[in-house]
Amino acid sequence: MTISTGTDWAAWQESWDRQQEWYMPDREERFRIMLDMVEALVGTAPRVLDLACGTGSITARLLARFPEATSTGVDLDPALLAIAEGSFAGDDRVTFVEADLKDPDWRARLPYESYDAVLTATALHWLHDEPLAALYGQVAELVRDGGVFMNADRMIDESTPRIDAAERALRHARMEQARRADALDWAEWWQLAAQDPVLAGPTARRFEIYGEHADGDMPSAAWHARVLREKGFAEARPVWCSPSDTLLLALK
C-alpha cells in the first residue's frame, strides 16, 4: 500500500488504520463493542477522554456514531497528534492535549475535571506494571460515579503458553500473507511519515521521545481487573476478546 506524502489528513488516517489492522484484524470489532458499552452505560452524548489518543482513532468513531459526544484526546507523540489535530481542525467537539501520562501532573492540562468515559486502545502496553497501576489510580479519579473506563490491548495470560504460541504462529502466518499484498508494517509507516514535509519534524521529535518502541509489560486481564478495582472502580471485567486482544471495562 502506498499513499502520497503531504497534508492529506484523511489519507494519513486511512494509512494508519490499515497499518494497525495488519497487526489487529479485529480492530474495528473492538471499537464497535467499546462504543456499544459506552452507549449502554453512559448514553449517546458522553464527555470522553481519549487516553493516549494517537491519531484520534477512537474519537473519529465516537463522533461518527454519537454526534453529540465531546472528546478530549491526550498523547505525547507529536507526529500522531499532528495528524489528529489536522484531521479534526475546526471541530469544536474535540480538544487535543499534549501530555506525558507518566507525569504525575498530566491531568492538570485537561479541560475538564471529570469524564463520563475514559477510553484507550493499543497504547498502555508501553507502560510497565508500576506506572500503569499509578495511571489507573489517576484515571479512577477522573471518571465520574457511574462512568466507565475501557482499555483494549494485548493482555497475556502466562498460564496458557501453548495456546498463546499457537495463536501467535497463526497470526504471524496471516500477517506474512498480508505483507505479500503490500501491507505497511510499523517501521515502514514511520519511514513514510519521516518523508512528509509537514510530519518530518514531529516524527523526528517522536523518535527522540520514544525510540523505536518502548518495552512495557502486558499483564493478564485478571491483573488489569484486580488493579482497577483496587484503584477505585466498583466492577471490572473483559467485555470482548479475540485470541490475541482483550477489551476490559471498569465501572466506577
Side-chain angles (χ1 to χ4, degrees):
M1 175 181 177
T2 59
I3 65 171
S4 60
T5 57
T7 53
D8 183 341
W9 300 119
W12 280 112
Q13 289 284 5
E14 175 73 11
S15 176
W16 177 258
D17 283 344
R18 300 292 81 78
Q19 179 258 126
Q20 289 286 286
E21 286 169 358
W22 184 64
Y23 295 97
M24 295 165 291
D26 300 313
R27 185 169 178 255
E28 290 301 327
E29 178 73 2
R30 291 194 315 174
F31 287 140
R32 183 182 69 79
I33 298 299
M34 177 182 280
L35 296 181
D36 281 350
M37 298 311 297
V38 167
E39 180 174 359
L41 289 164
V42 297
T44 59
R47 176 190 293 169
V48 171
L49 177 62
D50 187 349
L51 190 70
C53 64
T55 66
S57 297
I58 290 174
T59 293
R61 289 153 181 82
L62 172 79
L63 298 180
R65 178 161 168 177
F66 307 130
E68 296 181 15
T70 58
S71 179
T72 303
V74 59
D75 207 302
L76 184 62
D77 189 314
L80 298 186
L81 276 177
I83 295 172
E85 290 168 348
S87 299
F88 295 93
D91 191 333
D92 59 10
R93 298 171 296 176
V94 185
T95 303
F96 289 105
V97 175
E98 184 176 343
D100 185 347
L101 297 180
K102 296 191 294 294
D103 180 348
D105 297 324
W106 68 270
R107 290 172 295 173
R109 296 172 177 257
L110 301 178
Y112 304 107
E113 294 183 354
S114 69
Y115 288 85
D116 301 308
V118 177
L119 310 176
T120 188
T122 323
L124 300 189
H125 64 267
W126 287 64
L127 298 176
H128 290 288
D129 290 355
E130 187 173 335
L132 179 56
L135 178 64
Y136 278 172
Q138 295 166 335
V139 168
E141 294 176 0
L142 282 170
V143 175
R144 67 162 173 82
D145 288 346
V148 298
F149 166 71
M150 279 182 269
N151 179 14
D153 212 341
R154 186 152 296 167
M155 300 180 187
I156 295 175
D157 187 339
E158 294 183 353
S159 71
T160 59
R162 290 186 298 163
I163 295 172
D164 295 347
E167 179 279 322
R168 185 168 54 252
L170 179 61
R171 174 164 42 89
H172 281 271
R174 289 176 173 173
M175 289 169 67
E176 185 57 33
Q177 291 176 347
R179 288 285 290 144
R180 291 195 289 269
D182 294 328
L184 289 177
D185 68 12
W186 175 264
E188 290 167 334
W189 191 90
W190 282 109
Q191 290 169 5
L192 192 64
Q195 297 168 15
D196 183 274
V198 174
L199 292 177
T203 296
R205 292 196 299 276
R206 181 242 181 248
F207 280 94
E208 290 174 0
I209 295 169
Y210 293 110
E212 290 297 324
H213 200 285
D215 294 321
D217 295 321
M218 295 184 188
S220 68
W223 181 95
H224 288 272
R226 174 180 59 79
V227 172
L228 285 162
R229 287 191 295 266
E230 290 173 354
K231 296 297 184 179
F233 287 92
E235 301 175 14
R237 71 165 176 86
V239 292
W240 175 91
C241 70
S242 73
S244 60
D245 290 276
T246 297
L247 173 61
L248 194 134
L249 182 150
L251 181 66
K252 186 76 177 287

